[in-house]
Amino acid sequence: PYTDTGDGALLTPSIQLGVGGVLSFRFWIQAEEDTGQRAWDGAIIEITTNAGASWTQLTPQGGYTHTIIPNESSPFPPNTPCWSGSQGWVQVMADLSAFSQQTARFRWRFGSDAFIGLIGWYVDDLAVDPGGTSTGLNDALLPTVSGFSATTPIEKASRSHAHPATPGACPILCRTCGLGCRARSGSR
């Protein structure tokens, strides 16, 4: 299971957006939820256009499935829209037209409260179409993992990335570039 009181993220490098950009990816999640569409733990996507000084939550097409329950141990503000519960592979798209002609970074963020930890959040097929030409997140644009206190560098695609030293402590795995601390094998 993922760690209690976790707040981790996959971060992209800076990407210059054009007009009519789109962010797309797929995910699989198993995170602690409550009844209805309320959740204790969850995942969101965010964007910054000021080099990380502040982050804005993106609203994907179709919205999120849950909202965070007010909880002092959550890294998210009360009622933050998020994905949670158990969901098979889901395709996500987010319109980036509100950020046209800006330099942006994206993060896929997972947060947990102080209690039950389940499997976590897997992301795959990360792509950014900045408006006109798709850049994707290829070897030159690999995201990095952040938000965990104990880190050990590992090598992937000739780049060094920081991962939690505790096996299984990372709640996010990027199947596109292999970042994250959990090996996942088999079919999607």
Side-chain angles (χ1 to χ4, degrees):
Y2 49 81
T3 60
D4 294 338
T5 61
D7 188 4
L10 283 174
L11 305 164
T12 67
S14 296
I15 299 170
Q16 180 61 47
L17 299 176
V19 177
V22 175
L23 171 71
S24 66
F25 66 99
R26 294 174 355 115
F27 77 84
W28 180 98
I29 192 170
Q30 188 178 65
E32 184 188 11
E33 64 181 333
D34 198 43
T35 57
Q37 283 77 40
R38 305 287 286 157
W40 297 103
D41 306 336
I44 64 174
I45 50 175
E46 296 175 307
I47 187 172
T48 182
T49 55
N50 58 13
S54 63
W55 292 87
T56 301
Q57 184 174 3
L58 289 172
T59 302
Q61 293 175 7
Y64 291 93
T65 57
H66 292 73
T67 56
I68 292 292
I69 294 169
N71 179 344
E72 289 181 9
S73 66
S74 175
F76 299 119
N79 304 307
T80 297
C82 66
W83 290 294
S84 191
S86 294
Q87 298 183 47
W89 287 100
V90 176
Q91 178 68 46
V92 175
M93 295 183 77
D95 179 13
L96 303 176
S97 59
F99 305 97
S100 294
Q101 307 301 322
Q102 296 182 60
T103 300
R105 291 186 74 191
F106 301 93
R107 74 178 175 188
W108 289 259
R109 186 175 170 203
F110 184 89
S112 61
D113 70 1
F115 298 99
I116 299 169
L118 298 177
I119 293 174
W121 191 31
Y122 293 90
V123 297
D124 196 4
D125 300 330
L126 309 175
V128 177
D129 180 338
T133 306
S134 179
T135 62
L137 295 179
N138 57 30
D139 213 28
L141 295 174
L142 289 175
T144 58
V145 177
S146 74
F148 298 94
S149 57
T151 59
T152 301
I154 64 168
E155 286 296 317
K156 175 66 181 169
S158 302
R159 291 186 52 170
S160 196
H161 300 284
H163 294 276
T166 306
C170 180
I172 307 170
L173 174 70
C174 172
R175 288 177 43 111
T176 300
C177 67
L179 290 176
C181 294
R182 284 176 235 228
R184 177 161 168 78
S185 60
S187 62
R188 298 184 203 183

